[in-house]
Structure formats: C-alpha cells, structure tokens
Amino acid sequence: MIDPFGRRITYLRVSVTDRCNFRCSYCMAEQMTFLAREELLTLEELDRLCGVFIELGVRTLRITGGEPLVRRGVLTLFRALHRHLEAGRLDEVTVTTNGALLARYAGELAACGVRRINVSLDSLDPRRFRDLTRLGRLDEVLEGIAAAKRAGVHVRINAVALAGLNDAEFDAMVAWCGSEGHDLAFIEAMPLGETGPERVAHWMSVEAVRRRLAERWTLQDVDYRTAGPARYVRVAETGGRIGFITPYSHNFCESCNRVRVTCTGMLYLCLGQDDVADLRGPLRAGEGNAAVRAAILSAIARKPSGHDFDEARLASGPQVVRFMSLTGG
Ligand code: SAM
C-alpha cells in the first residue's frame, strides 16, 4: 500500500475497545459515554480485518484502545495473530496499555509473541498518578510492568508531558527507567476530544522537556528507530534510551507509515484528521474479503499529507472532536 505521497503503509494500529478502566484527564472527559457492544467488531472480525491488512503489506500491528486489556477475551485475538508472526507474514505485534491488568496478562502476551509493549505512566507518585488517571492505582501498574519484564517483554514507558503536573518528576522517571531497563518516551498532549481546559493549561512542548533533561543528563543522539514516530537519544549516565514524540513539530508526518482502525471498524488515515472509511460495512456484507480490500485501498489513496496541530490554536479547544481513546494511541 503506497499513499499519494509515496509513503508505504506498513503499520496498523487497532483499537479493540473504546472503554478504559482509567479516565486520564487529558484523554477523556470525566463522564464518558461508551459505545454499545453490538457496534464493536467481534474479535473474529478484528482478526479477519487484520488478516486483510497483512495481505496488503502491513508488517507491524499495535493493539490499543481505550484500554485493550479490558476487552473481554482479548487474548483470543493475540492467539489468532500469533500465526502471522510464526509464518513470517508479520514482524511485530505490540500493545499500548495502561498496565493495570498487565500482571494478569503479561505471560500470555509473551507466549503469543509480543516482544515489546508501551505502558502509559505519567507519574511515579501514587497520589498524583491517581489524580491524573482519576481511577488508576500506581502499585497495580508497577506490578504489571514488573510482570512484563519478568516475561521477557521489553517495556517502553510513555509519559505525556504536563507542565505543573508531572514535569518535576522527569528526572526521577529517567533515573527509574534507566535502572529498570525500560525505554521512556515523552509525548506532547494533542488537541483530541473535549476534555476540558486542563490539557491546555498544562500543555508543554517536548522540545522544552528535552532542554530541561539536557541540563541534568548527557543526551547522545542514536540511530535507534521503531516503526513509530519517536526519535531517540541515549542517556550516558544510565545507558537508557529516551524517545521524543513531537506531534506539534509535524516532523513525523512526512515519514508516516501508519493508519488506524477503531473498534467499530472505521479506518482513520491520520490521527489528526477526520477523513474516515467504513470497513465494518464491507466486512459484514459477506464472507469474501474483496470488498474490504477495495475499501482499504481506496482509503489509502486519499491519506492526507499530515495533521495540522498548531500551537497557536491550542487555546481554542480540540482540533479533532473524537477522543484519543476512540481512535487509539
Ligand atoms: N489505555 C491504553 C494506554 O493507556 O496506553 C491505550 C490507549 S491510550 C489512548 C494511548 C496513549 O495515548 C497513552 O499513552 C495516552 O497517554 C495517550 N494519549 C491520550 N490522549 C492523548 C492526548 N490528547 N495527547 C497525547 N497523548 C494522548
């Protein structure tokens, strides 16, 4: 699959549910209305859809949400996807999770061929963690991360940079991740969904994070890349890696290799644009995959060049109405 800008699409993010057991303040509103269960693709439909994308050239799948591990029976999907890894049709299946249920699932995820996961963790302080997530318990997440490490799954910690909320902890996070052997990535809060004024009030650029870290740590550029948009440095003092994800600088759109499918089978061509293609209709229209394939290819042919998140428009509210928890991170 090659888009109009010559970019090869090899990476699919699949949201398996819009539900989450946390309510992170920059991600969701406090009161959320979730989709009715019948709207969701079944796990069999998700597997079938992933199969079509793999036939079309996707090499990396990231399972996300909402919180992917709250989807009942989600391991069935991982077990099904494992066959593509074993057959060499897929390079990687990864997961983005808040970690709350990871202690229960880490071993089985590893058995299904998951070698890397991203765990979202914005604070190492139990009270602040609770405030930020509204529902989360830090001890459960740390237990989950430890279980993943024991299972041999490499962990990257994802932290959204929030001035006045977690910025005093950045050095502690670098030190902790360095000593535990986890990568760490800092992310700018994106203007997705009506979450209230907090996200704007605490917004900070990842460039500012990098400058701040450089005062305390020796940051060395490295070539390391994953299939995703992070740019990495190595911290000389810990040997650990830090990634920076800077959606506002737009510098990752030109190498974008990704598209996203929601749990209802909507294909979004860009996290920051509204253009969408319905894949559930063709998927449910019959058993053959020709219509699904055609719908995917015609959508890829109109993938936009990029999003237009703009720092100057931060205060004017969300630029995209849907929540990150719907499209999937
Ligand atoms: N529940 C899982 C988790 O917590 O990782 C997966 C879904 S969550 C939507 C994926 C990632 O998106 C998390 O790292 C979260 O911090 C990030 N995220 C959510 N809303 C965001 C926003 N408005 N801007 C930037 N990142 C956001």
Side-chain angles (χ1 to χ4, degrees):
M1 290 182 285
I2 310 248
D3 81 356
F5 302 91
R7 296 170 297 191
R8 188 176 292 278
I9 308 305
T10 55
Y11 186 163
L12 176 67
R13 296 197 177 184
V14 184
S15 173
V16 296
T17 176
D18 63 326
R19 289 168 195 261
C20 189
N21 41 359
F22 289 6
R23 295 284 182 281
C24 299
S25 53
Y26 53 81
C27 180
M28 286 185 165
E30 194 153 12
Q31 302 298 330
M32 292 289 289
T33 310
F34 293 112
L35 295 163
R37 282 184 210 287
E38 26 334 328
E39 292 204 47
L40 303 195
L41 295 186
T42 64
L43 294 169
E44 292 73 21
E45 286 171 330
L46 284 165
D47 175 39
R48 190 177 143 207
L49 193 52
C50 289
V52 178
F53 274 99
I54 292 165
E55 272 170 37
L56 289 172
V58 159
R59 302 289 310 176
T60 303
L61 283 180
R62 176 172 294 282
I63 306 301
T64 178
E67 170 49 41
L69 300 184
V70 303
R71 172 87 194 242
R72 192 171 307 156
V74 72
L75 281 175
T76 317
L77 178 62
F78 285 100
R79 287 189 199 109
L81 295 173
H82 191 202
R83 73 186 186 284
H84 297 294
L85 287 171
E86 290 203 306
R89 288 188 291 270
L90 202 55
D91 297 330
E92 258 198 313
V93 175
T94 61
V95 187
T96 304
T97 173
N98 62 28
L101 296 174
L102 200 49
R104 195 186 305 168
Y105 286 118
E108 295 207 62
L109 289 173
C112 293
V114 173
R115 298 279 166 263
R116 284 192 314 130
I117 55 171
N118 290 352
V119 182
S120 306
L121 176 62
D122 300 322
S123 173
L124 288 170
D125 176 85
R127 286 207 17 218
R128 190 170 301 122
F129 184 80
R130 180 70 170 196
D131 286 349
L132 272 167
T133 60
R134 296 190 179 116
L135 296 172
R137 280 188 44 189
L138 180 65
D139 55 345
E140 286 177 353
V141 173
L142 294 179
E143 231 174 88
I145 294 169
K149 186 173 165 180
R150 277 197 304 277
V153 179
H154 184 261
V155 175
R156 188 182 85 186
I157 301 295
N158 278 354
V160 175
L162 298 162
L165 291 180
N166 64 359
D167 55 338
E169 290 189 58
F170 292 162
D171 289 331
M173 293 181 92
V174 170
W176 179 72
C177 287
S179 69
E180 290 291 317
H182 308 317
D183 286 345
L184 169 63
F186 289 103
I187 307 173
E188 282 163 359
M190 290 177 276
L192 309 174
E194 188 56 79
T195 58
E198 278 245 311
R199 189 173 59 209
V200 176
H202 296 288
W203 191 83
M204 101 182 263
S205 83
V206 157
E207 197 39 52
V209 177
R210 189 183 168 131
R211 278 197 304 274
R212 178 124 26 121
L213 293 181
E215 290 169 13
R216 161 81 175 73
W217 308 93
T218 314
L219 306 181
Q220 302 162 333
D221 286 327
V222 285
D223 278 343
Y224 176 77
R225 288 289 301 271
T226 62
R231 300 290 179 272
Y232 286 89
V233 296
R234 187 170 297 287
V235 183
E237 290 83 352
T238 68
R241 268 189 306 244
I242 304 181
F244 298 101
I245 302 179
T246 57
Y248 280 84
S249 69
H250 301 243
N251 62 6
F252 59 52
C253 294
E254 67 219 35
S255 59
C256 182
N257 56 356
R258 291 176 294 287
V259 290
R260 299 161 195 264
V261 172
T262 69
C263 54
T264 59
M266 299 297 139
L267 171 62
Y268 281 98
L269 303 160
C270 171
L271 181 61
Q273 301 280 0
D274 289 320
D275 198 3
V276 66
D278 172 29
L279 302 181
R280 187 177 59 181
L283 201 57
R284 289 186 175 169
E287 287 187 0
N289 288 333
V292 185
R293 204 175 293 127
I296 295 171
L297 290 175
S298 93
I300 298 293
R302 54 172 207 271
K303 182 170 159 68
S305 67
H307 57 70
D308 52 7
F309 298 150
D310 182 357
E311 265 183 74
R313 283 155 65 197
L314 263 174
S316 52
Q319 281 182 242
V320 171
V321 291
R322 59 184 193 278
F323 291 97
M324 179 78 159
S325 56
L326 182 66
T327 325

